[in-house]
Amino acid sequence: MGDNAITDTDINEIYEIKEVLGKGAFSQVKKCVHRESGAEFAVKVIDLRRVPPNEKAKIKREARICLMVNHPNIVKLHEVYEAPHTYFMVFELVSGGELFEDIVRRTFYSERDASHLMLQILSAMQHLHRLEIVHRDLKPENLLLESQRDGADIKLTDFGLAVMLEKQQNEWFGFAGTPGYLSPEVVKRVPYGKPVDMWAIGIILYILLAGYPPFWDDDTKVLYEQIKLGEYEYPSPDWDDVSSEARDLIDRLLVQDPAKRLTVDQALAHPWIAQSDRVAPHVH
Ligand code: ADP
Ligand code: MG
């Protein structure tokens, strides 16, 4: 265990596979127990017969990228198993559920809690961006909580859309992501890079503080027009008590021009993050 090798040993000999924890497009994530040690993990089970032929290479790309990263706020990939029609990725188990469910449960976060979460998300992002990895699918469904208690740590997961930048160059990596989190440059179908993740972080921060997204329409065409216009509001009374520093950070992330958007290092230095004890109030 833990040697990261891809093996064709039958996974069922090594792990007992248990209940479903979550689902994605081609995958199911299930709890599993390492038979020898009794330790629990989460295994992402990908049914290769359901993956379109042109997507198959991407499954291995996900594993390859996961094996490159090593950070306390990123879910660790332990090992990979291959069977004729199935690909298994054994991850560390993160048992507090999705940040998404927690937002729904709480409606919105206090600035203190949101700032604590943001620090961890940005720290994970800094690790990825230093490795020239762009995640491309940052959203509360892909951020898992360590536990359900207040102030729980968070772990980033789902590298299904992650890509590596070559020579730090922007590139057109295709139209990919989740509609409400897509950056203007992706919507405009122009070459892009790390700033797409910073845009998504801006959307997540807005949602954490409000409980709803800055851009939304059931019709994705209309939604994409909103994103391209880049006009969003802070409706009263929801935002009345939110600090100007929090809004300032959102405004510097939801910037149309990716070159003018905060980088991850700049966001980490922003007062709402770096001096959160002084700046981010308990109240909202
Ligand atoms: P997809 O690429 O299909 O979206 P994800 O990797 O996002 O798959 O996993 C789908 C869901 O499974 C997640 O949103 C989460 O609810 C659950 N999940 C994924 N990884 C873990 C894990 N390590 N521990 C616990 N639950 C997980
Ligand atoms: Mg996912």
Side-chain angles (χ1 to χ4, degrees):
M1 184 177 64
D3 61 359
N4 293 335
I6 297 181
T7 159
D8 60 1
T9 308
D10 181 358
I11 188 171
N12 295 294
E13 289 174 16
I14 313 293
Y15 294 90
E16 188 188 347
I17 298 184
K18 307 260 219 183
E19 75 270 18
V20 174
L21 297 167
K23 281 182 190 174
F26 316 114
S27 74
Q28 275 199 331
V29 177
K30 297 177 178 178
K31 189 184 264 192
C32 68
V33 181
H34 187 243
R35 293 184 187 276
E36 203 178 295
S37 66
E40 294 182 320
F41 293 88
V43 61
K44 187 165 178 174
V45 183
I46 299 165
D47 182 350
L48 296 172
R49 282 168 298 193
R50 287 175 52 196
V51 180
N54 59 328
E55 304 267 321
K56 287 216 163 67
K58 294 184 191 164
I59 307 287
K60 295 199 174 161
R61 181 180 70 190
E62 177 175 1
R64 199 170 62 239
I65 290 180
C66 283
L67 292 174
M68 291 174 58
V69 303
N70 180 20
H71 188 275
N73 299 115
I74 301 177
V75 173
K76 264 186 196 57
L77 178 61
H78 277 265
E79 43 179 7
V80 176
Y81 288 80
E82 260 187 292
H85 301 295
T86 321
Y87 199 72
F88 302 92
M89 285 188 255
V90 181
F91 288 96
E92 86 179 275
L93 176 67
V94 190
S95 40
E98 297 171 9
L99 178 63
F100 178 75
E101 294 156 356
D102 203 51
I103 295 170
V104 173
R105 196 161 41 232
R106 297 203 205 189
T107 328
F108 62 84
Y109 275 71
S110 75
E111 286 194 47
R112 184 63 57 93
D113 289 349
S115 170
H116 177 71
L117 288 174
M118 269 299 156
L119 174 61
Q120 298 180 63
I121 298 167
L122 288 168
S123 161
M125 223 49 249
Q126 186 180 47
H127 181 71
L128 296 182
H129 284 182
R130 281 182 179 166
L131 292 168
E132 302 301 323
I133 297 167
V134 183
H135 185 280
R136 293 203 302 167
D137 204 15
L138 284 174
K139 56 179 172 178
E141 293 89 328
N142 288 336
L143 290 159
L144 305 179
L145 293 166
E146 195 83 88
S147 75
Q148 290 208 352
R149 67 179 167 74
D150 273 3
D153 283 342
I154 202 161
K155 303 229 181 203
L156 172 61
T157 185
D158 197 351
F159 285 72
L161 295 182
V163 291
M164 300 279 315
L165 292 180
E166 298 223 5
K167 300 185 200 116
Q168 313 188 14
Q169 290 283 314
N170 283 351
E171 208 180 303
W172 176 248
F173 293 99
F175 192 82
T178 301
Y181 301 84
L182 290 180
S183 63
E185 57 271 29
V186 171
V187 172
K188 290 176 192 154
R189 297 175 184 267
V190 298
Y192 59 83
K194 297 170 190 175
V196 302
D197 288 336
M198 302 314 295
W199 175 275
I201 287 176
I203 304 278
I204 293 170
L205 176 54
Y206 185 107
I207 294 174
L208 283 175
L209 294 175
Y212 50 84
F215 305 106
W216 188 248
D217 199 282
D218 285 332
D219 181 345
T220 49
K221 282 212 185 73
V222 178
L223 172 63
Y224 295 157
E225 287 310 312
Q226 289 178 8
I227 293 171
K228 277 194 269 188
L229 272 173
E231 288 169 8
Y232 56 94
E233 283 166 6
Y234 295 116
S236 183
D238 310 346
W239 287 86
D240 294 353
D241 300 330
V242 177
S243 69
S244 55
E245 286 87 353
R247 291 192 204 190
D248 182 73
L249 178 53
I250 295 171
D251 291 342
R252 290 172 194 273
L253 289 166
L254 298 183
V255 172
Q256 283 291 307
D257 179 354
K260 297 196 177 125
R261 205 172 295 152
L262 290 189
T263 65
V264 71
D265 291 338
Q266 290 169 333
L268 277 163
H270 189 276
W272 193 77
I273 301 290
Q275 298 159 39
S276 72
D277 284 347
R278 189 175 61 75
V279 173
H282 285 291
V283 279
H284 178 87

